Amino acid sequence: MDGRQLDDILAAVPLPMVLIGAREQITTANAAGRALLGEGQIGRHYAIGLRQPALLAAIGAALREGVPGQAPYEVIGPSATVTWLVTVTPLSNAGRPEALCAFQDVTEQELIGAFRRDFVANVSHELRSPLTTLVSIIDTLKGAARDDPAARERFLTAMQHEAQRMARLVRDLLSLSRTEAEERRRPTTQVDVAELARAVTDTLRPQAEAAGVALELAATPGLPPIPADADQLTQVLQNLIENAVKYDTLGRQVTVRVHPEQAEEMLRIDVVDQGEGIEPQHLPRLTERFYRVDRSRSRGQGGTGLGLAIVKHIVNRHRGRLAIASERGRGTTVSVFLPTA
C-alpha cells in the first residue's frame, strides 16, 4: 500500500489516527490526529509529540516486539481534561515495523467511573458515622451503663436518633434511584399545581410554626393544570419548603409563590426564605449529591445531602429547570420552572 492510499484510508476514519514509522518518527496523521497533536509534530520522534510514559511504552513494544497494546493519553485543557484510550497496532511496511495509534475519547466513561466511586465513598462515609456511634453505644450499654437506668435511657434515645438518620439516608437513596429510572418518561397526567402547593403548605404549616416560622402561600388565581407527576411535585415542594424552614433564621417567614412565567410559557414555583443566605461559590454545587454548605448543621437537622439532587432529577423529568438565587443576609429563593404544555 503506497503512502497516498494510506492517507486516504486514515482520512476516512473520524477518530484521530497517527502512524509511527520505522525510524520512530510520526510519519503521518489524519486531520483529527493533526488537530490533536499539532501540525508541527509530523516528522518528529514520537517521544516528543506523545510524552506520556504508558503510551510511549506501548508504541515501543509495537515497534520493537510487534506486540499490540493500549494506553491512556490525557490532554489537559483550560477547562477540563480529555482522556483518550489509544490502541496501538503493530504494522509492517516492506518488512519495516510501524505502529498505528487510534485515539478513542473515553472522557465520559472516566467521569462516570469517577462519579460512581465518589458516590460509593460518600454513601459509605454517611453510613459509617451512625454505625460507629451505634456500636459504641451498644458496647457502653453492655458494660458501664448496664445497670444505670438514666444512662440507658439517654443512650437509647441516641440510638433511635442514629437509626432514624440511617433510615432517612436509605429512603432518599431509594427515592433518588426511582427518580433517575423514570427521568426519561415524561409525565402526562394533568395536575393543579396551585392546589397541590396549598395542600403541601397546609401539611407543613404546623412544622413551620413549631420552628417559629410563618408559612405563606401566594398563588395566582385560575392557573390551568399542567402535565406533571403529582407525587413527585409534592416531594419537590416538601423538600424545598422544609429546607427553607430549617434555614430561615432571620426573617421567620417562608413564602411559596405559584404564578405563570409568561415570557417562557411556563409555570413558576418560588420558595422564598429570609434566612442568612448562601455564599455565591456554593450555589453551582447545591444540587450535587451529598454536597452541604454546613455539614454539621445539616446533619444536626436531619439532612442527608440528597434532597436537592432528587429535586433536580424530578424537575429534569418534567423538562423544566431549577434556579437558585441567594444573597448573604437577604435570604434564598429557589425557583422551579415547569412547562405548561
Side-chain angles (χ1 to χ4, degrees), residues 1-318:
M1 183 184 299
D2 61 32
R4 184 170 181 177
Q5 287 177 310
L6 179 61
D7 286 344
D8 289 342
I9 292 173
L10 296 184
V13 180
L15 300 176
M17 304 287 287
V18 175
L19 182 67
I20 313 296
R23 296 183 179 181
E24 300 188 347
Q25 296 173 328
I26 299 177
T27 304
T28 188
N30 62 2
R34 292 170 186 267
L36 177 63
L37 300 185
E39 192 70 39
Q41 300 301 332
I42 306 300
R44 306 180 73 180
H45 194 281
Y46 70 86
I48 299 175
L50 304 164
R51 300 182 180 182
Q52 300 186 19
L55 180 54
L56 297 182
I59 294 172
L63 289 174
R64 300 181 185 93
E65 304 168 25
V67 178
Q70 288 185 324
Y73 182 76
E74 292 187 344
V75 178
I76 301 175
S79 59
T81 297
V82 179
T83 303
W84 302 87
L85 178 63
V86 186
T87 300
V88 183
T89 304
L91 302 176
S92 178
N93 182 11
R96 294 173 298 178
E98 295 182 332
L100 182 63
C101 299
F103 291 73
Q104 179 184 358
D105 188 347
V106 293
T107 306
E108 185 174 352
Q109 293 93 309
E110 289 293 313
L111 290 175
I112 292 172
F115 173 78
R116 287 174 176 167
R117 290 191 295 272
D118 290 344
F119 182 69
V120 171
N122 280 323
V123 171
S124 301
H125 175 75
E126 294 292 331
L127 287 174
R128 184 172 61 242
S129 179
L131 282 172
T132 301
T133 302
L134 285 173
V135 170
S136 176
I137 291 174
I138 291 169
D139 288 341
T140 303
L141 286 173
K142 292 174 66 177
R146 179 190 297 270
D147 300 317
D148 186 339
R152 189 163 59 241
E153 185 64 27
R154 186 171 67 254
F155 284 129
L156 286 173
T157 300
M159 289 176 67
Q160 182 183 38
H161 173 76
E162 296 300 333
Q164 289 171 343
R165 177 177 161 189
M166 286 193 293
R168 285 192 299 269
L169 177 60
V170 172
R171 178 202 65 201
D172 282 355
L173 285 170
L174 291 173
S175 178
L176 182 59
S177 177
R178 285 194 300 268
T179 303
E180 288 182 325
E182 296 174 345
E183 194 165 343
R184 294 184 181 276
R185 296 198 298 269
R186 189 171 184 177
T188 57
T189 305
Q190 295 296 312
V191 175
D192 186 335
V193 178
E195 186 58 35
L196 191 70
R198 185 171 291 106
V200 174
T201 52
D202 287 345
T203 300
L204 294 180
R205 188 167 283 110
Q207 178 181 330
E209 290 174 352
V213 176
L215 181 56
E216 302 296 334
L217 172 67
T220 301
L223 290 173
I226 67 168
D229 184 313
D231 290 339
Q232 287 191 335
L233 284 190
T234 297
Q235 190 174 8
V236 167
L237 286 164
Q238 286 176 337
N239 193 298
L240 297 181
I241 294 170
E242 286 176 351
N243 278 352
V245 169
K246 287 176 186 176
Y247 296 109
D248 192 325
T249 57
L250 299 178
R252 296 299 181 187
Q253 178 171 317
V254 170
T255 303
V256 180
R257 294 197 294 260
V258 184
H259 55 103
E261 185 76 4
Q262 301 289 359
E264 302 182 59
E265 295 186 355
M266 284 189 161
L267 184 68
R268 176 171 178 170
I269 305 170
D270 295 323
V271 179
V272 185
D273 69 53
Q274 299 176 10
E276 298 173 1
I278 304 168
E279 296 286 353
Q281 67 269 22
H282 296 296
L283 295 179
R285 302 191 61 189
L286 290 178
T287 57
E288 293 181 15
R289 302 175 190 197
F290 299 110
Y291 186 81
R292 296 180 175 95
V293 175
D294 186 337
R295 288 184 174 273
S296 60
R297 180 178 175 184
S298 175
R299 287 199 182 100
Q301 294 179 331
T304 63
L306 293 172
L308 285 178
I310 294 171
V311 168
K312 179 185 72 173
H313 284 288
I314 291 175
V315 173
N316 287 345
R317 185 196 173 199
H318 287 73

